[in-house]
Amino acid sequence: MADFVFYGDTERSYAMRHELPVVIGDPFLMAIVDRRLHLAVSFLDRDRVVAAVPDAVLYDYVDLGFAELRTSGMGIFEIELELASRTAAAIGLREAIADPELPFAVADRLRADGITLQLDQTAVAARRRAKSQTELEGIRRAQQAGNAGLRAAAAVLRRAEIDGEGLIVDGEPLTAEMVREALREACAELRAPAPPDVIVASSWQSSGGHEAGYGPLPANLPIIVDLWPRDEETGCWADSMRTFVVGEPADSVQKAARVVREAVEAARAAVRPGVTGKEIYDAAADVVEAAGYESQRTVGGGVPETGFRASLGHGVGLAVHEEPILGLAGHSPLVAGDVITLEPGITIPAVGEVCFEDLLVVTDGGCETLTDFPYDLAP
């Protein structure tokens, strides 16, 4: 089996955080040799590393000459490069698959040392496709917070009264900011805060895009609530979305909601190990196209002006968007332990978008849905 090498810190490198579930803010070199973790870290982090990965092989900075280096007149950047080089030499690294995020300076130094590096994003990403038990527990906690966030958003919308084309609560216009504040408080209470830019928007504002939403929310039009809370303990994310209408949804919105719901179920039924992301996308697109809407397939891989404009979904884990891709470029088969979203949506001209998003774990026999919230348009 191939060896791997990484360099960075576990706050920003998802690949390293998967291998070593400890938050370390300073950069260090880490390798997987004969399936065993090798790394050199400061004494400040050593005990936590041993507790998390007891069989890891640790190299002491003192033994690598750190005292000599920091009194040599070198700058910290040169010292870090030299420590990376000495760590690789201590490990005995001669050839390895490297994370494409390996810094140029480190890659150049290791190659100058005679180490052969093969940049292989697919191989690196594959190592964290199947989530560890710790990561799955974090994702479940994050989605529980997401479920609570959706309930909090719906509770605010339920209190709204129609005032002309807008909504009011307690005599004041109901705004995206008010709903966002409520759902973020609900997530934070479960120790999985949602970022400030979670989406609470009438889709005429966002056009089905990533606009977070702002200002007064409308009556009788779709309101998207899309949130991605992050578990504080593990750094793992969840992701889910619902569409609400306060008032009377137009016939076109009700039809779109029925079709999107059918597309979610068609996609869910297709999820199992060995099936590609494209095949799952095709299951959803078949439903949407049969109902008379366009999709990326009908416009040759581009983005249609209306209908099913986006891909179906993506992987979720230490990054909120990661492999596998569920769309026309989704050629990688699912594996047990993948965590994915299913989020078909339909955009209606001059009205907005209807989209439902569920978070799923791929199991040996199919999938388990983690999102626990109804699909009703009425909040």
Side-chain angles (χ1 to χ4, degrees), residues 175-198:
T175 64
E177 290 83 357
M178 292 166 62
V179 178
R180 186 178 296 113
E181 180 181 4
L183 72 84
R184 292 189 69 219
E185 286 180 356
C187 292
E189 287 179 3
L190 294 178
R191 302 191 63 180
D197 57 344
V198 294

Side-chain angles (χ1 to χ4, degrees), residues 192-208:
D197 57 344
V198 294
I199 296 171
V200 179
S202 172
S203 25
W204 61 262
Q205 288 179 331
S206 66
S207 300

